[in-house]
Amino acid sequence: MKPNKLLTIATLLWLCVQSIGAQNQLVTYPSPEGAELKNDFTVKVRQPGKEWQTIDTYAVKVDEVRGASHHVELASMGYFDFAGEVEISVLSNKGDIQTGRVRPLSYEITPQINGNILTFKLDRPRNLSIEVNGDIFHNLHLFANPIDPNNPLKPGMNPKKLKKDRNLIYFGPGIHQLPGDTLNVPSGKTVYVAGGAVVRGCIRAFNVRDAKILGRGIVHPQERGEGIHIGNSRNISVEGLITTQCPTGGSDSVTIRNVKAISSYGWGDGMNVFASNNVLFDGVFCRNSDDCTTVYATRKGYTGGCRNITMQNSTLWADVAHPIFIGLHGNVEYPDTIENLNYLNIDILDHREMQVDYQGCLAINAGDNNLIRNVRFENIRIENFRQGQLVNLRIFFNKKYCKAPGRGIENILFKDITYTGKNAELSLIAGYDQERKVKNIRFENLRINGTVISDDMPGKPGWYKTGDMARFSIGEHVEGVTFTK
């Protein structure tokens, strides 16, 4: 064989080995000294046939409401990065596992259980809740991330070299206390919080352009409050981090990807949008002690309406209030419009709210003279939540939070929505008066416990409203509600 042909074969073999290596990777991050850990579980991960690696589990606070009282409970949280396939072992240090589940249930991950060990495989990144013996308040939040393409520290690189990059603010593994509990990110800069890092305080992008807040670590104030906050800024990216809350106000062109927000205190909303345009949430996980995600108009010093807001490929868990909430706040004197919103491919794991005024997994409540129009809910899977409603569309005057009722709710599409459960209360659709109506509401392939709700569904008496078959109350000042297959 000619030498050049041998060289070509050797090059191809090398490229194949490199490709296989790139497709099968596993990166774990030891916790920093001084971090608060939890030992309910011993978690390990490995590539098939290789050595097990231990995943440290942090203590995370979640909110359990018992009656009308709030109780902070300590759950567990761990994370790692991978490409290819991994095997995961979760050992319950509290004793045998009678039942175990991995959620979202739509992922169809059926764990194997042997005594006090639960095992399963992953072939793609997932943000998961692992629940043993039905306990959702001492569960394991396991965030299996993709390999991080943004990590500035390359294999073999001396971390000191990163200090020479004037456009990079780097937090390596360890615990970091921000001076004054706040870091204000300058325009054009990238903040990177490495895996194994805990930043105590709030990272803010205020009045800046072209800034990034990236990484795999944790950003958490010492007490309550936002870990990441975007205000009056443009072209901002946030990716990969674990935090408490991540609001966006008065901003344009914001992308929040694979960010996890867990809160346990009052008014602990996950990912608010105030008076902003062109905001994308992709692959986020929210478990919050108030609304998981909201879109409001004028609010908290930010003025104007909202346009072009999308949340997709995400998981929402509301220990209190709404998973998705739109429209409450605005400007009564100079009315705002909230329009062109999309909620696509979302799993809702829980919704628990006793107050009827604040129920609804998919809720649009128009107040403060807001007009809300052109909203799309599509491919949303709602699991058996504890208490609340599936849908709440209302124009109302909530005097606790509003100065006037909303102007209208128009052109809302619910497509491929599924609910599997038994705890849904009566959903509400209601306008306010002849000038303030709910109009043009379409349900396409709404499935409740496997039954498609449609205007021509079998078994529906001719004198029933179709909403009756879904336990939806369709009230006055509502026009154009349709249910189709």
Side-chain angles (χ1 to χ4, degrees), residues 381-451:
R381 299 161 296 275
I382 304 172
E383 297 188 13
N384 187 24
F385 54 79
R386 286 172 291 152
Q387 185 172 14
Q389 301 170 18
L390 289 179
V391 171
N392 190 297
L393 304 182
R394 287 184 295 153
I395 300 170
F396 71 171
F397 188 6
N398 183 330
K399 294 183 180 180
K400 184 174 181 180
Y401 293 108
C402 299
K403 296 181 180 178
R407 281 184 291 152
I409 298 173
E410 302 175 356
N411 303 329
I412 314 298
L413 173 64
F414 298 87
K415 183 177 181 180
D416 297 331
I417 310 298
T418 64
Y419 169 62
T420 304
K422 57 184 180 181
N423 296 323
E425 298 181 10
L426 186 69
S427 290
L428 301 176
I429 303 176
Y432 191 78
D433 58 27
Q434 286 296 324
E435 283 69 46
R436 300 170 186 262
K437 292 184 177 182
V438 175
K439 298 190 293 187
N440 302 328
I441 312 300
R442 291 180 293 146
F443 293 90
E444 297 181 8
N445 192 31
L446 169 65
R447 290 180 178 266
I448 299 179
N449 293 318
T451 299

Side-chain angles (χ1 to χ4, degrees), residues 38-270:
K38 195 85 162 63
N39 66 351
D40 286 356
F41 304 99
T42 299
V43 183
K44 295 183 179 181
V45 61
R46 71 176 178 183
Q47 295 173 284
K50 295 191 176 181
E51 294 293 321
W52 289 103
Q53 299 184 43
T54 299
I55 304 299
D56 289 337
T57 52
Y58 297 78
V60 290
K61 295 178 179 179
V62 298
D63 183 18
E64 180 181 10
V65 179
R66 304 173 203 156
S69 299
H70 295 258
H71 300 264
V72 174
E73 299 292 334
L74 288 181
S76 301
M77 184 275 294
Y79 63 95
F80 62 92
D81 299 355
F82 81 105
E85 185 178 275
V86 290
E87 300 171 354
I88 296 168
S89 168
V90 178
L91 183 151
S92 172
N93 293 317
K94 292 183 175 181
D96 282 354
I97 300 174
Q98 305 302 322
T99 63
R101 63 178 182 176
V102 180
R103 299 202 292 158
L105 296 177
S106 68
Y107 295 166
E108 298 182 338
I109 298 172
T110 302
Q112 302 298 310
I113 298 173
N114 184 7
N116 65 339
I117 298 176
L118 177 153
T119 59
F120 60 96
K121 294 181 180 180
L122 290 179
D123 61 1
R124 70 198 71 181
R126 297 293 201 191
N127 293 322
L128 303 172
S129 171
I130 299 162
E131 299 155 13
V132 168
N133 300 333
D135 190 342
I136 63 173
F137 293 104
H138 305 93
N139 62 313
L140 169 65
H141 304 83
L142 189 62
F143 303 133
N145 300 296
I147 299 296
D148 187 3
N150 302 309
N151 191 344
L153 185 64
K154 305 307 177 185
M157 179 188 292
N158 188 330
K160 293 181 180 179
K161 289 185 177 181
L162 297 177
K163 294 181 180 180
K164 296 180 181 180
D165 187 343
R166 295 183 178 180
N167 292 319
L168 176 67
I169 301 171
Y170 180 77
F171 294 94
I175 295 179
H176 308 266
Q177 176 62 56
L178 295 177
D181 292 326
T182 304
L183 170 64
N184 290 305
V185 184
S187 290
K189 300 282 188 179
T190 295
V191 176
Y192 189 86
V193 181
V198 176
V199 174
R200 291 176 174 165
C202 177
I203 299 177
R204 304 195 313 178
F206 274 22
N207 303 306
V208 298
R209 298 172 61 94
D210 308 314
K212 298 179 180 179
I213 306 170
L214 313 172
R216 285 293 184 266
I218 299 170
V219 182
H220 200 302
Q222 285 281 53
E223 301 298 331
R224 56 179 293 150
E226 303 96 349
I228 300 168
H229 195 166
I230 302 162
N232 297 323
S233 295
R234 186 178 182 89
N235 295 332
I236 307 297
S237 295
V238 184
E239 185 169 345
L241 296 168
I242 301 163
T243 190
T244 52
Q245 299 174 260
C246 184
T248 299
S251 297
D252 198 322
S253 303
V254 174
T255 298
I256 298 172
R257 179 171 282 117
N258 191 27
V259 172
K260 304 89 174 175
I262 302 177
S263 60
S264 62
Y265 41 81
W267 294 281
D269 290 5

Side-chain angles (χ1 to χ4, degrees), residues 232 249-251 274-277 297-306 331 336:
N232 297 323
S251 297
F274 310 106
S276 295
N277 301 317
T298 296
R299 177 71 167 163
K300 289 186 176 291
Y302 303 112
T303 59
C306 287
N331 188 330
D336 294 318

